[in-house]
Amino acid sequence: MSSSCAVKLEPHQAAVFNRIRIWHVLVPTWFVYAAFVMGRRPVSVNRADMSAELQLSKLFSGNIDSSFLAAYTLGQIVLGTTVRLLNTSSINLLVGGLLMSAVSCIVLALTSNPWLMVVAWFVNGFSQAVGWASCLVCVTPWIGKQERGTVMGLWSTNMAAGGFLANVLLTATFPTSNGGWRRSTMLLAVIMSVVGVVAKIVLAKHPNALRMLSPHQLDAVPLVTQEDIVRAQLDRDGQALLGPSNGDAAAGPHCAAATSMSTWQLVCIPGVAGLACSYALHKLVRYVLTFWLPFYLAVGLGYSAVHAALVAGAFDFGGVAGSVCSGYAADGFKGGRMRLHFCVLLVGGLMLAMCGFVMFEDVFRVSPVICSAVVAVCGACSFGIDSILTGTVLQDFVERQRIPSQLAAISGLGGGVGALGSVLQGPTTVIATTSGDWIPLFVVLQVCCALAVAVSVVPLRLERAVSERGSPTSQLLL
């Protein structure tokens, strides 16, 4: 816990709080979101064997991914409406989405009808849309402002770890040929289901549901007491419905007095459109690498299905290191006041790494080890950019604009626009590789990286202006 919280809790209270948040919040949600990520991989990892068995064209194979991403985008846009209609807790929504994703994987494994695969993957995309937001709702009340970067940096490794585990599981458990991809996908779905059921049993709601104060409430001005929590009504996630007089930190996004802005008003805020468009371009690059690297390694470089999956797994392995290290490095860069500028350095590293696919394709063809190293660097930079851009950069931005209550709304807007980049990854890949040569694709990805920096010029200028004034970025309460 943060030091500010520790002085306000007795040692035994702090020990109980930490035990609950580690074993009943952070660890279960880490595995849940890792399972969500695993549920996205069967098509990309098994693309070559699926295409050969079912005689799928590259275009149709890309359409399966596009159906997933279109549904994922739609699911994010209507998530607020979905929550209101279902009127259920974030834990139920989280577990329900994971179980539905597992069912979609089972349908994919059992069917040989290509159009039913498209439908199953569309349902999977819609189910996956609840994962990230629901996890954040679960973990945020348990994390103090002074420790947010460290905790979330470690927790967000679930994205890369889930992808790596899926690559290994889908290729190492059964032979990928002769229908082995179907059995491995079924096994993955079973694991996802088990994780979902266990999470439903062990996950804890908001600290208020356990008659405990959250770190936000311990830091609130005016002071929030345990008696306030006991007297207050709880919402569906277990948070006490406190009035605005208890402070924004305590009331949080559930406060009835919290103001809201329309989508157009958010877009008109200087820098919001730039951040959203930049994220869309970065997401296009990351999703192309995520979904198509195994296929490129197998078809473009001639690797076996197993070797292709393992080398592609270096992207996620590097992503784990990138997610953790980039947060520490960004905090130290210019005193933590220029995190978006640090992202630009990571973009440069990603572009240099992708030059390897353009200039040293023959070397990669005979040396999977060198190829794995370059793929790992790509993963570290790509996941590092994603982690910072969707986390601390947004926190710094809303603080500079003095609109901290709009953090979730701006994050959702960025995620919705960013999802367009993931939808376009399929057509982009197919068009860029029409000639059968993969080098143009990596050139296109480098151009996208450069454009992502160009569209960020407004938020970059805002960040530099604050840094030159020498005003340190304070912690933001979510």
Side-chain angles (χ1 to χ4, degrees):
M1 298 189 66
S2 64
S3 58
S4 61
C5 294
V7 298
K8 298 180 181 180
L9 288 178
E10 296 295 333
H12 72 280
Q13 293 176 318
V16 171
F17 188 96
N18 275 318
R19 184 171 67 250
I20 293 174
R21 75 165 183 166
I22 291 174
W23 298 110
H24 293 275
V25 179
L26 295 176
V27 171
T29 53
W30 190 97
F31 279 102
V32 166
Y33 199 73
F36 266 107
V37 175
M38 291 170 66
R40 304 171 186 174
R41 293 304 179 93
V43 171
S44 60
V45 173
N46 297 317
R47 191 185 307 275
D49 290 311
M50 288 174 58
S51 299
E53 179 182 328
L54 303 176
Q55 297 182 340
L56 302 178
S57 66
K58 186 189 298 183
L59 178 60
F60 195 93
S61 174
N63 287 339
I64 296 177
D65 284 331
S66 296
S67 70
F68 172 95
L69 295 168
Y72 187 77
T73 303
L74 176 64
Q76 286 187 316
I77 293 173
V78 303
L79 181 60
T81 303
T82 302
V83 172
R84 287 194 298 270
L85 290 175
L86 294 177
N87 193 28
T88 187
S89 69
S90 295
I91 292 178
N92 289 339
L93 197 64
L94 184 68
V95 173
L98 183 58
L99 294 179
M100 184 58 69
S101 179
V103 171
S104 302
C105 290
I106 292 173
V107 174
L108 180 79
L110 294 179
T111 187
S112 295
N113 185 326
W115 287 108
L116 187 55
M117 288 182 169
V118 172
V119 173
W121 230 230
F122 183 90
V123 174
N124 190 21
F126 198 84
S127 304
Q128 291 267 341
V130 306
W132 181 257
S134 298
C135 279
L136 286 183
V137 172
C138 291
V139 303
T140 298
W142 294 87
I143 302 174
K145 62 179 181 179
Q146 302 295 335
E147 60 188 356
R148 186 179 297 128
T150 300
V151 174
M152 291 304 296
L154 292 171
W155 184 86
S156 64
T157 59
N158 49 24
M159 291 185 287
F164 179 78
L165 291 173
N167 283 1
V168 173
L169 179 67
L170 291 169
T171 57
T173 52
F174 298 98
T176 56
S177 58
N178 298 322
W181 65 270
R182 297 180 183 272
R183 293 189 289 274
S184 60
T185 301
M186 287 286 290
L187 177 59
L188 182 144
V190 171
I191 293 174
M192 292 169 63
S193 301
V194 171
V195 171
V197 172
V198 173
K200 174 61 178 175
I201 295 172
V202 304
L203 264 176
K205 287 188 174 184
H206 193 281
N208 295 165
L210 303 177
R211 297 295 185 258
M212 304 172 73
L213 297 173
S214 71
H216 302 172
Q217 292 162 342
L218 287 169
D219 290 334
V221 178
L223 181 66
V224 177
T225 66
Q226 191 167 13
E227 288 72 20
D228 295 328
I229 302 301
V230 173
R231 289 195 302 265
Q233 290 183 335
L234 303 180
D235 67 6
R236 56 178 169 260
D237 288 316
Q239 179 173 356
L241 297 174
L242 302 172
S245 61
N246 293 105
D248 184 65
H254 297 275
C255 176
T259 60
S260 60
M261 300 175 68
S262 68
T263 300
W264 178 246
Q265 288 175 314
L266 293 174
V267 171
C268 290
I269 298 173
V272 169
L275 288 174
C277 292
S278 178
Y279 182 55
L281 290 164
H282 283 306
K283 200 164 187 178
L284 187 151
V285 173
R286 183 164 66 87
Y287 269 61
V288 167
L289 295 174
T290 297
F291 284 134
W292 290 93
L293 263 180
F295 190 73
Y296 160 72
L297 295 170
V299 176
L301 299 185
Y303 290 4
S304 68
V306 173
H307 284 162
L310 292 177
V311 172
F315 184 77
D316 299 298
F317 183 79
V320 173
S323 296
V324 175
C325 296
S326 61
Y328 289 107
D331 286 342
F333 183 72
K334 302 293 183 179
R337 295 192 299 270
M338 300 183 70
R339 294 187 175 96
L340 186 57
H341 282 74
F342 181 78
C343 276
V344 174
L345 297 181
L346 292 178
V347 173
L350 178 58
M351 293 176 68
L352 286 175
M354 286 193 293
C355 283
F357 295 103
V358 176
M359 302 173 62
F360 305 110
E361 188 177 60
D362 292 336
V363 175
F364 292 167
R365 188 173 282 111
V366 297
S367 179
V369 174
I370 296 177
C371 185
S372 297
V374 174
V375 169
V377 173
C378 288
C381 293
S382 183
F383 277 89
I385 293 168
D386 189 271
S387 176
I388 296 174
L389 197 59
T390 59
T392 55
V393 164
L394 284 183
Q395 292 176 343
D396 293 344
F397 178 81
V398 296
E399 184 179 89
R400 284 194 296 269
Q401 298 295 320
R402 299 182 180 180
I403 48 172
S405 63
Q406 303 304 320
L407 175 59
I410 294 176
S411 177
L413 176 63
V417 176
L420 296 177
S422 59
V423 171
L424 294 175
Q425 58 81 27
T428 299
T429 302
V430 172
I431 294 172
T433 59
T434 300
S435 65
D437 187 359
W438 288 81
I439 290 180
L441 174 63
F442 294 104
V443 174
V444 169
L445 296 184
Q446 290 175 305
V447 172
C448 289
C449 287
L451 288 175
V453 175
V455 299
S456 301
V457 62
V458 172
L460 282 168
R461 285 176 177 174
L462 291 172
E463 185 178 71
R464 177 172 291 277
V466 173
S467 177
E468 289 176 349
R469 288 199 299 267
S471 55
T473 301
S474 61
Q475 293 289 343
L476 171 65
L477 291 175
L478 290 178

